[in-house]
């Protein structure tokens, strides 16, 4: 019985030892697995860092390329804007010159219209005077004709008077 108890105690003592050994084996396997996972994670992180570094470098290059492109576009746009502003100033100058020319032409036109009106007024006045002269000539011709007829009548009367007087003188 004592041997059995001893043996049972040894088995019971061995069981925890076997369990501990199993647990140690399990824990060693688990440590190996975790260590492997950690190595994979570290490798993955290193790969991620490398990829991130490459991505960062690539993005920096793209940013620099884009910046240079934008700088060229901005420079081109500034030049285009300067050219357009110059054209705008030229057009404004031409517009002002054209306005001045139109103002001058309007003034000349008004002056010519006023001159035309003065000339038209003078022409009407001269036409009226010419018409008066023509009427006066006609009236003068009419008066001359009447005067000629009257003179012819007077002359006929004189001739008749002289003939009558001569006939009276001869008769006396």
């Amino acid at each position: 019985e004592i041997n059995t108890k001893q043996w049972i105690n040894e088995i019971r003592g061995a069981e925890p030892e076997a369990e501990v050994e199993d647990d140690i084996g399990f824990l060693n396997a688990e440590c190996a697995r975790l260590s492997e996972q950690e190595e994979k994670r570290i490798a993955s992180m290193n790969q991620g860092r490398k990829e991130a570094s490459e991505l960062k470098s690539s993005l920096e290059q793209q940013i620099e390329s884009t910046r240079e492109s934008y700088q060229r576009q901005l420079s081109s746009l500034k030049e285009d804007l300067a050219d357009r502003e110059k054209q705008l100033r030229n057009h404004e100058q031409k517009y002002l010159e054209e306005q001045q020319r139109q103002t001058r032409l309007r003034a000349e036109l008004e002056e010519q219209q006023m001159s035309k009106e003065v000339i038209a007024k003078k022409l009407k006045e001269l036409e009226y005077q010419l018409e008066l002269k023509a009427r006066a000539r006609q009236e003068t011709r009419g008066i001359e004709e009447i005067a000629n007829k009257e003179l012819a009548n007077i002359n006929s009367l004189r001739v008749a008077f002289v003939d009558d007087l001569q006939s009276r003188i001869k008769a006396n």
Side-chain angles (χ1 to χ4, degrees):
E1 246 181 63
I2 291 182
N3 278 339
T4 309
K5 279 185 181 183
Q6 228 177 3
W7 191 64
I8 289 176
N9 282 338
E10 280 182 23
I11 291 177
R12 280 189 186 161
E15 277 183 14
E17 237 178 73
E19 277 181 24
V20 169
E21 283 181 17
D22 284 344
D23 285 343
I24 288 174
F26 174 75
L27 289 175
N28 283 336
E30 189 65 22
C31 279
R33 186 183 66 79
L34 288 175
S35 178
E36 187 177 316
Q37 281 181 352
E38 181 66 19
E39 286 176 8
K40 285 180 182 179
R41 189 181 65 79
I42 289 172
S44 174
M45 281 178 49
N46 287 339
Q47 182 66 26
R49 283 184 185 146
K50 182 179 177 185
E51 288 174 1
S53 175
E54 289 172 359
L55 181 61
K56 180 181 176 184
S57 174
S58 173
L59 287 175
E60 286 174 351
Q61 287 174 352
Q62 287 178 354
I63 289 170
E64 186 61 30
S65 172
T66 304
R67 181 179 295 128
E68 290 172 1
S69 172
Y70 285 161
Q71 286 296 331
R72 285 191 300 272
Q73 288 176 353
L74 182 61
S75 176
S76 174
L77 288 173
K78 283 180 180 179
E79 289 174 5
D80 189 38
L81 181 62
D83 289 344
R84 288 179 188 227
E85 285 176 348
K86 184 178 178 183
Q87 288 175 352
L88 180 62
R89 284 191 300 274
N90 288 340
H91 288 303
E92 286 174 346
Q93 181 65 30
K94 287 179 183 178
Y95 177 73
L96 289 174
E97 290 171 0
E98 184 63 24
Q99 277 186 327
Q100 290 172 351
R101 188 180 75 83
Q102 286 181 358
T103 302
R104 189 179 65 249
L105 289 174
R106 281 191 193 110
E108 288 176 9
L109 179 63
E110 287 176 11
E111 184 179 311
Q112 288 176 356
Q113 285 176 341
M114 288 182 1
S115 175
K116 181 182 174 183
E117 289 173 6
V118 168
I119 290 171
K121 196 175 191 180
K122 285 182 181 179
L123 179 63
K124 283 182 182 180
E125 190 177 307
L126 290 173
E127 286 174 346
Y128 179 70
Q129 288 176 359
L130 187 61
E131 186 180 321
L132 288 177
K133 284 182 182 181
R135 278 189 207 160
R137 279 189 197 130
Q138 280 182 337
E139 288 176 5
T140 304
R141 283 185 197 143
I143 292 172
E144 283 177 358
E145 287 176 13
I146 292 172
N148 285 338
K149 286 180 187 176
E150 291 296 322
L151 282 174
N153 279 339
I154 290 174
N155 195 24
S156 326
L157 287 174
R158 184 187 61 81
V159 169
F161 177 70
V162 169
D163 285 341
D164 183 46
L165 192 55
Q166 283 178 350
S167 59
R168 279 190 193 179
I169 290 179
K170 284 187 188 178
N172 273 345

